[in-house]
Amino acid sequence: MTDADKRERIIAAAYQVLSEKGYDKASTKEIANSAGVAQGLINYYFPSKDQLFAEVFRRETRKYCEALTPLLPGERQDSLTSDAIAKLLELPKSRAFQEPDWFRLRYELFAIGLRNENAADTLKETLEIKRKYITDSIESISGFPREQCETIAALLYSMIEGLGLQRVADPDFKYDEAYDMVADMLSAYYDRLIKKKEP
């Protein structure tokens, strides 16, 4: 196994252990066992637990952005109906059903960033990357001014995370209905902006 392979295994194991145990209970010993490497190897690649989890933050951010890539239609849309918007939202919506551990890990990472000053900058950085990615996506689809897309992205990101949290925490939460309402709201907002642009 190469050094790169060992490092990747450690990061993947930390990702899994962190999502299952949380930051406080996730030990480097358990991560080493899960990765199938000696515990000292973790310290070789990551001098502190915080540095290891900062890398997990970065990986989660990359995974989040890659998960949204299929949402992009590839070209600007002249008309975004409520149905088209609902279709674009289908992938982030499905994540809470298909990968609840992924959502749990993100919430754990948020908590780490809020209570651990060594991770605060990493949290801020990852949130900025995600908002920028969503902003770029909205701008490419809608053609709206950048500043407007940034505001929409911040709200949309908050809704995706908030709805996912409610679904993971409460299986009886009316998740589909909430997402339908988000699609209707975005469609109405989009229509209003288009009408304002018309001469």
Side-chain angles (χ1 to χ4, degrees):
M1 188 182 335
T2 67
D3 280 354
D5 291 336
K6 291 173 188 173
R7 191 175 187 277
E8 288 300 315
R9 287 180 74 157
I10 290 168
I11 295 166
Y15 193 105
Q16 189 61 41
V17 171
L18 183 60
S19 67
E20 292 171 0
K21 304 278 185 175
Y23 179 82
D24 295 328
K25 294 181 181 176
S27 70
T28 53
K29 181 179 180 181
E30 188 169 4
I31 292 167
N33 288 340
S34 180
V37 300
Q39 188 174 354
L41 207 54
I42 293 178
N43 294 331
Y44 174 75
Y45 292 113
F46 302 98
S48 74
K49 188 174 168 182
D50 290 337
Q51 287 179 323
L52 173 57
F53 290 136
E55 186 57 33
V56 173
F57 257 123
R58 290 186 190 95
R59 295 298 173 93
E60 186 280 326
T61 299
R62 189 178 315 135
K63 184 176 179 183
Y64 184 92
C65 293
E66 288 170 355
L68 293 179
T69 299
L71 296 178
L72 300 180
E75 58 187 41
R76 186 173 155 190
Q77 302 292 297
D78 292 326
S79 176
L80 281 174
T81 64
S82 182
D83 287 342
I85 291 171
K87 188 174 178 184
L88 291 171
L89 292 173
E90 196 57 42
L91 184 62
K93 174 185 169 185
S94 68
R95 290 288 179 172
F97 292 106
Q98 296 171 359
E99 298 183 69
D101 284 345
W102 186 43
F103 270 91
R104 287 187 189 98
L105 173 64
R106 292 216 308 280
Y107 303 133
E108 182 63 31
L109 293 173
F110 295 158
I112 292 167
L114 292 173
R115 71 175 179 252
N116 182 331
E117 66 180 53
N118 293 328
D121 286 342
T122 304
L123 173 61
K124 182 180 174 187
E125 173 193 337
T126 58
L127 292 175
E128 286 172 354
I129 290 169
K130 290 173 184 175
R131 284 195 310 267
K132 181 184 180 306
Y133 188 86
I134 296 171
T135 298
D136 292 345
S137 302
I138 292 169
E139 188 175 30
S140 72
I141 293 169
S142 69
F144 292 150
R146 181 76 182 180
E147 189 173 309
Q148 198 166 36
C149 293
E150 288 172 346
T151 302
I152 297 168
L155 293 170
L156 184 56
Y157 178 56
S158 297
M159 284 189 276
I160 289 169
E161 291 294 348
L163 292 174
L165 173 61
Q166 293 178 78
R167 173 63 181 85
V168 170
D170 177 8
D172 296 327
F173 171 64
K174 296 187 176 181
Y175 190 61
D176 290 332
E177 291 88 337
Y179 255 98
D180 290 344
M181 179 67 75
V182 170
D184 289 343
M185 289 166 51
L186 289 172
S187 177
Y189 181 68
Y190 176 80
D191 290 344
R192 189 175 68 115
L193 292 178
I194 292 297
K195 284 177 185 171
K196 283 173 80 173
K197 284 172 69 175
E198 291 173 355

